[in-house]
Amino acid sequence: MEGKKGRVFAVGLGPGSPGHMTGEVLKAIQASEAVIGYHVYLELIEGLLAGKEVFASGMRRELERCEKALALAREGKTVSLVSGGDPGVYGMAGPLLEINGKQTEPVEIEVVPGVTAACMAGAVLGAPLMHDTALISLSDLLTPREMIKKRLRLAAEGDFVTVLYNPGSASRSGYVKWARDIFLEYRKKETPVGIVRNAARENQEKWIATLGELADYSVDMFTLVIIGNSRTYCSGGRMITPRGYAL
Ligand code: SAH
């Protein structure tokens, strides 16, 4: 007789507060016998983990986590593989599907979306993502630096609102500065820029600055930067990109 079929839910917890986790993600985690993730994210959902097998690992262990999730699912278990924000935006859904596609015994995978940091930070700042937007990660861990610069240049030239994920870390302190310099070739130095740290977490901080001032702010791996397009403006402390209506 065939045993119970396992599966993996690639879930996104949202930006950090329980209220921003979707009902479907909650259901998937509750239905799972095993939960795998970066330990910082698992700490956010500690209360949901009682009675489950839990595999917490450190940063940069993404592929191991995918392998572990697939192995447990092959044993017949229902597994949640956890990402912060959305699993499909610089998260675990991609590598999981890629690795599964190479297996002789692929398992069933369901991607369950979450609120990505861009949406949360956008809400904190006002409505900066109201028009065409590019998401660009400044991390050169998996992407050549020249490619990142090319995408920044084209996003700037194309007048996209641009969200910078992974804008900096201790070892990448100058990266927002070169992003700023590229954008200054195409956009005014008064262009509004929003900076949100720890969006939807207890220690949330936000600043609305200008493109010219961007390098004066220190950014880290808990920070997201949103550069407005040529029409973005500030009103009443909020950052707004016009939708296009004549008002
Ligand atoms: N899958 C995640 C992104 C992972 S990349 C998502 O969809 O949000 C990690 C980067 O996302 C961080 O370096 C930071 O730039 C951004 N980020 C994630 N959560 C954040 C939060 N709560 N506040 C601010 N930035 C956040």
Side-chain angles (χ1 to χ4, degrees):
M1 210 179 80
E2 226 182 84
K4 182 169 88 70
K5 261 184 93 180
R7 52 160 34 189
V8 182
F9 293 111
V11 302
L13 299 185
S17 66
H20 291 100
M21 186 194 293
T22 71
E24 288 299 317
V25 169
L26 186 60
K27 270 202 303 202
I29 294 172
Q30 284 169 337
S32 294
E33 296 152 275
V35 180
I36 303 178
Y38 176 38
H39 62 90
V40 174
Y41 295 142
L42 294 187
E43 280 157 25
L44 293 172
I45 52 165
E46 224 175 344
L48 300 174
L49 301 179
K52 302 185 191 299
E53 279 184 73
V54 177
F55 300 91
S57 59
M59 250 181 0
R60 302 199 185 164
R61 310 301 284 267
E62 284 86 0
L63 302 185
E64 268 171 42
R65 274 180 236 140
C66 293
E67 303 274 8
K68 183 72 187 169
L70 295 173
L72 289 167
R74 274 195 297 272
E75 288 172 15
K77 292 185 174 140
T78 301
V79 184
S80 278
L81 178 63
V82 167
S83 299
D86 181 82
V89 179
Y90 312 114
M92 300 293 290
L96 181 69
L97 287 169
E98 285 189 82
I99 296 174
N100 194 42
K102 292 188 196 304
Q103 308 292 308
T104 44
E105 241 189 292
V107 306
E108 196 180 318
I109 289 177
E110 190 179 324
V111 181
V112 193
V115 175
T116 190
C119 294
M120 189 66 228
V124 167
L125 293 165
L129 311 180
M130 194 47 53
H131 218 292
D132 304 334
T133 296
L135 309 184
I136 299 181
S137 167
L138 294 192
S139 169
D140 56 3
L141 221 54
L142 301 171
T143 308
R145 205 177 289 188
E146 282 315 307
M147 177 58 79
I148 299 172
K149 288 188 173 173
K150 179 178 177 181
R151 289 180 178 156
L152 287 169
R153 204 170 302 117
L154 292 172
E157 186 180 358
D159 201 28
F160 287 93
V161 173
T162 303
V163 182
L164 304 179
Y165 279 75
N166 299 302
S169 63
S171 60
R172 291 190 296 108
S173 57
Y175 284 32
V176 277
K177 190 167 173 304
W178 43 257
R180 177 204 63 179
D181 291 344
I182 291 172
F183 271 79
L184 280 174
E185 290 173 34
Y186 300 91
R187 252 168 251 186
K188 293 197 298 257
K189 66 177 189 327
E190 295 78 21
T191 305
V193 166
I195 300 156
V196 182
R197 185 160 188 275
N198 285 318
R201 298 179 188 151
E202 249 171 39
N203 37 358
Q204 173 179 297
E205 297 174 279
K206 69 161 176 173
W207 300 271
I208 296 182
T210 65
L211 185 56
E213 296 162 346
L214 176 55
D216 305 342
Y217 290 80
S218 69
V219 295
D220 60 13
M221 56 187 292
F222 307 110
T223 309
L224 197 80
V225 173
I226 301 182
I227 303 174
N229 71 13
S230 58
R231 301 191 59 204
T232 303
Y233 65 98
C234 293
S235 169
R238 313 309 291 274
M239 185 173 167
I240 304 167
T241 300
R243 177 79 181 81
Y245 297 109
L247 299 170

